[in-house]
Amino acid sequence: MPQPRMMLVVTGDDFGYCPRRNQGIVDCFQAGGISNVSLLVNASAAKEAADLAKRHNIPIGLHANLSEGTPVCQSLQQASTLTNQRGFFHGKMGFRQALERGQVSMKQVELELRAQVGLFRELTGHLPHHMDGHQHVHVLPEVREVFAQVLSDLRIPYTRVPVEPGLNSCPWLPAHLQRFYTQVEKDALDSIPVFTRYGIRWPDVYLGLTTMGKNMSVSNVQRALSLAFAAGPSGTTFSSASGSDQPVITAELMVHPGYPSHPQVGGCGEGPDEFSQSGERQHELSVLRDPSLLALYSQERVQLCAFKDLLSTAV
């Protein structure tokens, strides 16, 4: 059997968001389309998701959430810098604006992150092998330092660094998304020295911003993989049965498969968002299960794996 050229973690984000998302993610995993999931512990169907992961042996990490729904930490549920007057997080852009104004307590961020890890452990029976941020909050200024400290203290080895090859030259992204993703990438680059200082790891290459929702296609995933191969490995080796070691690229592809949420069913306390109710989640599910994409992986010697598998291959 040929050795892989790439160890690819295909992570289904937002596990636990709603029963329809959960079912789509399980179906995708069983079809070989994803290899890892990221759990929103404050979402309405989080317990069901954790139970499904156990039942189907799905590798699972934590999708840390500071922007949607309500806090897990009880002391922050009444009044805190993380929430608005209704007790909900400030939202994807609202959280960023509050942070820029210096209105977010990093002590409260730490309390909430630790509470979410604690709830993850209660739901799954173990610590997450990886921990990333819902809507990329984990790479934001100040938050990144607290996030890295929590991962280091709890010995959670892997995170996500959303710096995607070819993002700036992607022809199909609308201007508003291109602006947001460019800022995410800048924040992620600024996070690298922080994560490095705390001994946190991440795959060589990140993919997924250019292939979200309706932009996911076999050809667009193929473009992303080609750019990832061009970026090259950073020293990880894969040990074959014959005992020889070959450098491989490690990569993560962020995806959002699922079936459209029913209105008013799901979310993190305020109901499901528009993206979740649209057909774009199901479109991703269809592409990820497409036999031609699975054949492409085989042809390019891409081996799907989980974050915990990277621990055993890294040297």
Side-chain angles (χ1 to χ4, degrees), residues 46 48 258 261 315:
E48 178 197 69
S261 300
V315 294

Side-chain angles (χ1 to χ4, degrees), residues 33-61:
I34 60 172
S35 55
N36 205 91
V37 294
S38 205
L39 178 68
L40 281 166
V41 292
N42 75 329
S44 62
K47 185 180 187 310
E48 178 197 69
D51 292 343
L52 285 167
K54 286 179 196 171
R55 187 181 315 155
H56 298 288
N57 200 26
I58 304 174
I60 187 168

Side-chain angles (χ1 to χ4, degrees), residues 175-196:
H176 72 283
L177 278 182
Q178 185 70 259
R179 283 193 300 273
F180 178 68
Y181 292 162
T182 299
Q183 185 60 51
V184 167
E185 190 167 79
K186 180 186 180 301
D187 290 331
L189 287 166
D190 289 344
S191 298
I192 287 175
V194 178
F195 293 163
T196 301

Side-chain angles (χ1 to χ4, degrees), residues 133-169:
H134 184 47
Q135 299 169 338
H136 310 291
V137 294
H138 67 300
V139 295
L140 289 170
E142 296 183 86
V143 175
R144 60 176 77 111
E145 187 87 29
V146 177
F147 183 85
Q149 180 72 63
V150 170
L151 264 65
S152 176
D153 288 351
L154 299 175
R155 298 188 179 179
I156 299 169
Y158 272 94
T159 192
R160 168 185 291 169
V161 175
V163 176
E164 180 166 357
L167 176 67
N168 296 321
S169 59

Side-chain angles (χ1 to χ4, degrees), residues 230-241:
S234 67
T236 301
T237 62
F238 176 82
S239 297
S240 69

